[in-house]
Amino acid sequence: MKRPVAVVGVGQTHHTTRRSDVNIAGLVREAVDLALRDAGLEHKDIDAIVIGKAPDMLEGVAQPEQFLASAVGAHMKPMLRVHTAGSVGASTALTAVTHVASGLYDRVLTIAFEKQSEGNAMWALSPNMPFVAPLVAGAGGFFAPYCRAYIAKTNCPPHIGPMVAANARDNATRNEYAHLREPMTVDDVLNSPMLWDPIRFGETCPSSDGAIAMVVASEATAKKGPRKPAWIKSGYSYAEAMWVPGRDQVSPRAGRVCSQAVYDKAGITDPWNQIDVAEIYVPFAWFEPMWLENLGFCAVGEGWKIVDRGEQKFGAHLPINPSGGVLCSNPIGASGMIRLGEAALQVMGRAGAHQVEGAKTALGHAYGGGAQYFAMWIVSSEL
Amino acid sequence: MSTLRNVAIVGFAQLPVVARDEHRISTEMLYPVVRQALADCGVERDAIDYQIAGSVDYMDGRPFGFVSALDVMGSWPPRQDLHLEMDAAFCAYYAWLRMQTGDCDSALVVGHGKTSEGEPDRVLNLQLDPYYQAPIGLDPTSSCALQASAYMARTGATDTDLAAIAARNRAAGARNSDNQVRSAASATELQKTPWAVEPLRKGYLPPVGESATCMILAAEGKAEKLCDRPVWIHGTDHRTEMQTLGARDLSRSASAKLAGEKALAMAGLSRASDADVVELYATTPVEELIVCEALGLDAKAARPVINPSGGPLCAHPIMSTGLVRMGEIFRQLSGRAGDRAVANARRGIAHAMQGHCLQQNLVWVLGTERRWS
């Protein structure tokens, strides 16, 4: 990057099943107002807007950013709309970072949202694609074989998914914005219905309405702000083709390349010991051990052992998803940006009851498509 | 501005626009243009640092329509990548911005949309806010007609003026083998076509079609090696307006005006008429007149030449229409425009837009010489 960039404001809505008190514009505006207030800025201070969400079919509006232009304050400003499947929230924020890093913009507002109650995600995610067997099973049906493959490859015992889910639910009790704040025990999860073997109901993310907005700014403008900024040490988005013979869907190469790139740029050689907290994209519980390996926190086959030992719990060696993560709130298009925003809040020391004490370096991560799109950043309390 | 990096267009390929390609799905349409653009630059895929795609799910009638493009873009090993739910010209903007950070030196930009998978008018109606505007059934033709009425009321432009613009585009477009409509039509003939939505006649509207496009951008140092006549980006800017049609002066484009001023200032140009050739993303003669006014161009002047390609009135491959405008200026300034070449063209302007009634506008100022030394 040509010059340093920082997060200077974060605002997110409470995530819930149905926000019937606001329309899509109202939901998005709520996050925008919170982020601007957090940054001590007004719309006139913003140079450009970058907005992202998952498939337009989730709400039934094509390119909804166009009707949202006034709600987000984009009138007479540059605005880009990002869509990279599940990773979109994260790649949207990274697109905003590029705007500032380029030297052309000083303060950029970035927004991600999903109002799932406006439509039916199962329908929207179950299309009949050319040359692909129709699953009509949404994301869970698509990813269940990936989870089975992980279990088969690593001899991961059957209690690991439930452990991840129970831990996420426990974490979410401390996060006032989380959608699911009711604790579940491992037994509760094990006793919940099997939806797509091996994914049980309790190991599945909810469908949420929610939005998040952030302001990213140049070094000089960040230092003028009312808050201690979160400095972005590195951020990349990588994608890989679907139909590559022998493609490793359990530990996709794009995820490994992307995490290596962000570590290299941020000067991280030992992520397990140098990163204080990580917010990673876990829509189904089994993805937590998968990503622990893919992100280089441990060797291949060792991810589930970290979970088994509880080393990723709140207060343990490397807290993963202290917010409760995607398993407890999933406004799909916003979920990636929430991971990055939560990472920023942690290094700003402003994560509330789920603050990881003394967090200085944090990873925010998201993935999407058929585990093809990856976007992540490393943020730090120090420039 | 001196801190900006010189970036050039070094390659462009497109499929001829057709109403419906019955034999190929969108990835099959994209594959040959990616290979052709790479071959024209003489580079292997691994030598390109960044990739970005523009498409709209709704146009393909399915979610994640862009995911399959990864395969034909050569995304193995994994690539630094982004997808915008926008016309590919906006993707080129982001690729340019990304190069300004110094993080990458070259980019592959693609646009794809298979309009025949659905009904574009119904899809584009869904761009409008779902509470007030979309339910009344506005489609691009009817909202363009509202805009045309507003423009004609303000300026006194007549049906004859509109016919003259359409006829000029149609005459120029007859020379472009990539066009969907390749027949000239006189103003008189066009004025005899029936109303689509008054005051717009069927002869003043674009044929909607499908294509796939690929552009390669490269920064100074690399661009000269990939292309014997790179076309340099001198200035660019884009602006958005609120969507609400009733809250805007539809007879003008404030966002095109501001984007034009910013792009010209970056390019160090005092006026757009210093360009030799201009390509406008204008889907009606009225949009052409409004954008010309916003940019400070005279639509009737002999120079700069406007839309020597025939413009969107002869081919409107949604999601690529903006990138084609850039590609046409690249062809003009790099000596690839064949029998539609504008003599001694050294500087050009390409415009892209999207949304109803010119909601978002993007302006490029391009030239044969490097802008910054």
Side-chain angles (χ1 to χ4, degrees):
Chain A
M1 292 195 289
K2 198 159 155 185
R3 59 178 185 163
V5 186
V7 180
V8 297
V10 182
Q12 65 179 308
T13 63
H14 291 270
H15 309 296
T16 186
T17 305
R18 182 183 294 271
R19 279 291 302 273
S20 50
D21 59 321
V22 286
N23 62 16
I24 302 170
L27 180 78
V28 167
R29 180 58 176 250
E30 196 172 296
V32 167
D33 285 346
L34 289 166
L36 286 174
R37 195 178 311 149
D38 196 49
L41 298 171
E42 296 174 32
H43 283 286
K44 66 174 169 51
D45 303 315
I46 298 298
D47 302 326
I49 311 274
V50 184
I51 184 166
K53 72 174 294 297
D56 293 356
M57 284 170 179
L58 291 181
E59 288 89 359
V61 184
Q63 297 174 293
E65 68 283 359
Q66 295 180 348
F67 103 79
L68 295 171
S70 359
V72 300
H75 185 58
M76 297 308 277
K77 289 177 185 171
M79 175 175 73
L80 294 183
R81 156 71 195 287
V82 178
H83 179 10
T84 60
S87 71
V88 61
S91 49
T92 302
L94 295 176
T95 302
V97 171
T98 296
H99 277 66
V100 178
S102 72
L104 275 104
Y105 302 91
D106 283 326
R107 294 185 191 93
V108 177
L109 176 66
T110 184
I111 306 140
F113 73 95
E114 207 73 71
K115 199 163 188 303
Q116 288 207 54
S117 67
E118 302 276 329
N120 182 328
M122 269 299 275
W123 171 81
L125 298 176
S126 303
N128 194 358
M129 309 269 239
F131 306 127
V132 180
L135 286 168
V136 199
F142 187 87
F143 286 122
Y146 292 37
C147 300
R148 283 200 295 277
Y150 176 75
I151 292 166
K153 272 189 176 179
T154 64
N155 294 316
C156 172
H159 63 273
I160 295 300
M163 280 184 81
V164 168
N167 181 51
R169 289 297 192 94
D170 181 55
N171 286 348
T173 61
R174 289 181 287 272
N175 176 8
E176 62 169 309
Y177 298 104
H179 180 169
L180 302 180
R181 301 188 68 198
E182 303 82 15
M184 278 182 103
T185 64
V186 171
D187 279 344
D188 291 339
V189 181
L190 281 167
N191 291 327
S192 68
M194 185 64 82
L195 295 184
W196 309 274
D197 191 4
I199 304 171
R200 293 178 178 83
F201 182 74
E203 296 165 304
T204 305
C205 55
S207 282
S208 313
D209 285 0
I212 180 170
M214 293 194 284
V215 180
V216 293
S218 63
E219 181 181 354
T221 47
K223 284 180 171 168
K224 281 189 231 158
R227 310 241 180 233
K228 189 173 151 31
W231 297 100
I232 298 151
K233 307 305 281 186
S234 61
Y236 289 101
S237 56
Y238 274 84
E240 70 185 30
M242 172 73 94
W243 305 111
V244 176
R247 185 171 87 91
D248 186 348
Q249 292 163 323
V250 169
S251 187
R253 189 164 163 185
R256 284 182 277 137
V257 168
C258 191
S259 56
Q260 195 60 53
V262 293
Y263 297 154
D264 287 351
K265 189 75 175 276
I268 289 172
T269 51
D270 177 5
W272 179 246
N273 289 307
Q274 287 174 279
I275 292 172
D276 301 314
V277 50
E279 282 279 345
I280 66 177
Y281 203 96
V282 179
F284 303 103
W286 301 92
F287 273 94
E288 188 157 306
M290 289 162 74
W291 293 151
L292 289 173
E293 296 170 23
N294 190 248
L295 287 164
F297 287 127
C298 59
V300 172
E302 301 288 315
W304 66 264
K305 295 175 187 168
I306 289 176
V307 175
D308 212 19
R309 291 192 295 263
E311 290 170 346
Q312 95 298 13
K313 288 185 164 183
F314 190 67
H317 179 84
L318 175 57
I320 302 289
N321 297 336
S323 69
V326 181
L327 277 173
C328 297
S329 312
N330 190 24
I332 300 180
S335 292
M337 194 182 288
I338 297 169
R339 307 280 71 71
L340 268 53
E342 285 285 346
L345 287 169
Q346 289 285 351
V347 301
M348 291 163 146
R350 298 202 289 119
H354 60 286
Q355 174 69 46
V356 171
E357 208 174 322
K360 287 190 165 60
T361 303
L363 169 73
H365 155 276
Y367 88 100
Q372 295 165 274
Y373 291 86
F374 291 83
M376 48 194 98
W377 77 13
I378 295 282
V379 282
S380 168
S381 56
E382 307 298 328
L383 176 58
Chain B
M1 286 303 173
S2 57
T3 58
L4 286 172
R5 223 177 160 196
N6 285 303
V7 173
I9 305 171
V10 296
F12 177 71
Q14 76 167 97
L15 283 187
V17 185
V18 294
R20 177 180 175 81
D21 188 328
E22 302 215 7
H23 306 291
R24 286 183 281 201
I25 61 172
S26 69
T27 44
E28 290 172 301
M29 294 176 70
L30 201 46
Y31 183 74
V33 294
V34 171
R35 300 314 306 175
Q36 189 189 331
L38 289 168
D40 283 355
C41 297
V43 289
E44 294 297 324
R45 180 61 189 84
D46 284 346
I48 305 288
D49 302 332
Y50 194 75
Q51 68 182 31
I52 183 163
S55 71
V56 170
D57 278 349
Y58 256 101
M59 207 60 75
D60 286 349
R62 56 181 170 140
F64 310 121
F66 56 93
V67 175
S68 52
L70 285 179
D71 290 279
V72 288
M73 288 166 82
S75 312
W76 193 266
R79 311 291 186 186
Q80 284 200 56
D81 172 277
L82 197 71
H83 168 261
L84 300 184
E85 198 87 346
M86 304 181 85
D87 184 285
F90 290 85
C91 299
Y93 178 85
Y94 183 70
W96 171 83
L97 196 66
R98 180 126 189 123
M99 279 188 227
Q100 297 304 322
T101 68
D103 263 5
C104 62
D105 293 329
S106 54
L108 183 78
V109 181
V110 302
H112 60 106
K114 195 143 171 67
T115 44
S116 63
E117 298 279 337
E119 294 176 48
D121 276 358
R122 291 184 66 185
V123 168
L124 295 171
N125 163 268
L126 295 175
Q127 286 181 335
L128 292 163
D129 88 76
Y131 313 108
Y132 299 105
Q133 298 186 130
I136 62 176
L138 283 175
D139 59 19
T141 309
S142 46
S143 53
C144 280
L146 288 173
Q147 184 165 40
S149 300
Y151 179 81
M152 292 163 88
R154 174 171 69 80
T155 63
T158 64
D159 185 54
T160 308
D161 296 323
L162 272 52
I165 299 272
R168 170 170 51 66
N169 279 285
R170 288 283 293 270
R175 287 191 296 268
N176 181 354
S177 60
D178 288 330
N179 277 345
Q180 186 177 341
V181 171
R182 287 193 298 272
S183 56
S186 71
T188 318
E189 281 175 81
L190 291 170
Q191 270 190 286
K192 284 181 188 154
T193 58
W195 297 120
V197 179
E198 196 176 350
L200 293 177
R201 295 180 184 278
K202 289 195 168 163
Y204 307 165
L205 293 176
V208 171
E210 53 198 35
S211 178
T213 45
C214 180
M215 179 173 281
I216 294 174
L217 299 173
E220 184 174 355
K222 194 160 191 174
E224 302 86 336
K225 291 182 189 132
L226 300 182
C227 183
D228 55 353
R229 293 170 75 178
V231 170
W232 299 93
I233 295 163
H234 288 183
T236 178
D237 194 79
H238 65 102
R239 299 284 155 168
T240 306
E241 284 173 78
M242 70 175 89
Q243 182 178 69
T244 317
L245 304 183
R248 286 196 261 153
D249 179 354
L250 294 184
S251 78
R252 293 181 168 88
S253 178
S255 55
K257 183 169 191 288
L258 183 59
E261 286 166 3
K262 296 276 183 188
L264 287 169
M266 189 186 286
L269 276 187
S270 52
R271 52 185 190 274
S273 53
D274 288 343
D276 303 301
V277 54
V278 175
E279 281 283 341
L280 302 179
Y281 188 151
T283 62
T284 69
V286 171
E287 283 185 349
E288 183 171 322
L289 289 162
I290 290 173
V291 175
C292 279
E293 182 183 295
L295 298 180
L297 292 166
D298 178 357
K300 290 179 181 153
R303 199 90 174 182
V305 178
I306 294 172
N307 288 356
S309 70
L313 290 182
C314 299
H316 184 26
I318 296 180
M319 305 326 291
S320 285
T321 304
L323 196 69
V324 170
R325 307 277 74 72
M326 289 180 76
E328 281 293 328
I329 299 294
F330 170 65
R331 286 166 168 163
Q332 287 287 347
L333 302 191
S334 66
R336 293 168 166 86
D339 63 358
R340 61 182 186 276
V342 171
N344 304 314
R346 303 177 62 77
R347 193 181 282 139
I349 291 175
H351 159 260
M353 68 92 181
Q354 63 172 30
H356 284 244
C357 297
L358 300 165
Q359 192 191 345
Q360 279 187 284
N361 287 278
L362 166 63
V363 177
W364 298 90
V365 181
L366 303 162
T368 53
E369 305 293 328
R370 278 196 301 261
R371 165 76 176 96
W372 296 278
S373 54

